[in-house]
Structure formats: structure tokens, C-alpha cells
Amino acid sequence: MYPLMNTAPVSDMNRNPNKIIAQLSKGPIALLSRSEPAAIMILPSMWNRLMEQLDDQQDVIDALVAQLEIATGRVETEPADIALLEEMAQRVRA
């Protein structure tokens, strides 16, 4: 279960933005407009970490889809050309 998110009125961003920004060290803040969520503020480092996690998860999904397509015969594979792969590896190392 996720802990409750800190909240602040959108008007606080006009009155005291530094206070809101300082509170971000404790976690995301839901900015409320008329008691309804209007935006979520998070630190850039947290945003970057979340985007990296999403990217990693998408890579796993793509790999699983490819395995499924190969296993069900939707995609045909060809044997790897080991000599070509070794040549490519040599170029990368150089």
C-alpha cells in the first residue's frame, strides 16, 4: 500500500513556492484546486528514476512478446552467423 501523498492548494504555489518545493524532499505533492487534484509535483530525480523503471519494464515486455511470437510461430528466426557477430563485437571493442 502506498502512503498518503502530501497535498497543498495550488494557491500556495503563488504565495510560497519555496515552501512547496522544500516539501518535495518528503515525497510527491498533490496540488489541489477546489479540493480536486490538479497536478502532482515530484523531484526531477524521482521523475528520472520512474522513467528509467518504465523503460526497463517496457524492455521486458518487448522481450516477452518476442519470445511469445517465436514460440507460437508468428515470427521465424534464422540461425545466428557467429562469424558476423564476432566481427561486429571486434568493431565495438575497437
Side-chain angles (χ1 to χ4, degrees):
M1 182 173 196
Y2 294 105
L4 292 176
M5 188 179 301
N6 292 327
T7 62
V10 171
S11 58
D12 280 3
M13 283 303 295
N14 293 329
R15 284 188 236 135
N16 196 351
N18 290 332
K19 177 184 170 191
I20 302 290
I21 291 171
Q23 289 177 350
L24 287 173
S25 64
K26 297 176 188 172
I29 298 174
L31 295 177
L32 305 178
S33 176
R34 297 186 175 109
S35 300
E36 293 292 324
I40 305 294
M41 291 185 62
I42 62 172
L43 290 171
S45 58
M46 181 181 278
W47 173 263
N48 291 336
R49 189 171 68 244
L50 289 171
M51 291 302 104
E52 287 174 12
Q53 288 174 347
L54 284 174
D55 189 45
D56 291 346
Q57 290 175 356
Q58 187 61 53
D59 290 345
V60 170
I61 291 168
D62 292 344
L64 291 172
V65 167
Q67 287 179 344
L68 178 63
E69 288 176 343
I70 291 169
T72 58
R74 291 187 208 153
V75 173
E76 293 186 25
T77 60
E78 296 180 17
D81 183 342
I82 301 300
L84 177 61
L85 293 174
E86 287 174 349
E87 180 184 326
M88 292 170 65
Q90 289 295 329
R91 282 189 249 151
V92 170
R93 288 186 203 126

